[in-house]
Every structure is written in structure tokens, then in C-alpha cells.
Amino acid sequence: QVQVVESGGDLVQPGGSLRLSCAASGVTLDLSHIGWFRQFTGKGREGIACTARTDGPTYYADSRTARYTKQYADSVEGRFTISRDTTKNTVYLQMDSLRPEDTAVYYCAIDQSREPGCSIRSSEYDHWGQGTKVTVSL
């Protein structure tokens, strides 16, 4: 049984940084596409970052399917970084230059498909964590 657990959410001031962690059991994260999503109060889930499984192409980009080796939503491009720690079976989301509008519940999700490249469409993901709350405020 696959279980996904996010951690690292906190209250932070605007301009600050946080690092979210995504750990899992029952699955090897290196052999999965990993996505980070967030949900604002009263709104749908937004895909913000993903990283493709490590046994796929070193570089992949397909605008037709919107699948890439790594991708970011425009809203976080240049401020957030997704990375893996193979030794810990963990994926991170480093969030810098945080803004009040980044306040949301952040979710990690796993896509075990063998398609090349990862997607930030939530429908592509099979397993989800419970979320971790990030609040950006003075």
C-alpha cells in the first residue's frame, strides 16, 4: 500500500523561505513522477511543480502532452525548486521569496505511469498525501 506524507508547512513572513518534504512508503520515489500541488481555500487544486522518474530520458519535453523532465507553473517559476534525495526516498520543494498569495495547503502526489516526462495535471496522479499548510503573513 502506497502512503505519501508531506511535511514542512509553517507560518513564514513574506520574502521568507520554506522547504517542504514528501516521503513515501510502499513505492520507490525515483521510479515515480512526483508532483507538488496546492489548494487555496475554496478553490481547486493547482499543479505547481513536478519531476520525472529518474529511469526515464535525461531530458524530455513534449508540449503536445505537456510532459517534461521537470516543470513549474508560471506562478512559482524562478522561486520554487523541486529536487530529489535518492538516499532518503524523499522529494523536496524549496520555496523562496514567498508571497502572501502562496498561502495554501500543499500536496505531494505520485504518478507511477511509465510515460516519459511528468505533468502538473492532477488527473495524472494516483496517490496523494494529506497536505501541509503554508501560511505567508506578517
Side-chain angles (χ1 to χ4, degrees), residues 38-46:
R38 64 185 180 185
Q39 188 162 16
F40 305 109
T41 302
K43 296 194 175 181
R45 204 163 285 185
E46 174 192 26

Side-chain angles (χ1 to χ4, degrees), residues 23-58:
S25 59
V27 63
T28 300
L29 293 186
D30 279 359
L31 300 182
S32 304
H33 304 308
I34 307 300
W36 280 99
F37 298 80
R38 64 185 180 185
Q39 188 162 16
F40 305 109
T41 302
K43 296 194 175 181
R45 204 163 285 185
E46 174 192 26
I48 56 173
C50 71
T51 182
R53 52 190 297 157
T54 61
D55 61 344
T58 302

Side-chain angles (χ1 to χ4, degrees), residues 15-18 38 48-50 70-82 93-99 102:
S17 297
L18 277 178
R38 64 185 180 185
I48 56 173
C50 71
K70 194 174 285 188
Q71 65 173 304
Y72 298 92
D74 291 344
S75 57
V76 306
E77 179 84 53
R79 299 188 299 124
F80 291 10
T81 304
I82 189 170
L93 184 69
Q94 177 67 39
M95 306 189 296
D96 298 317
S97 303
L98 283 162
R99 305 165 180 168
D102 293 318

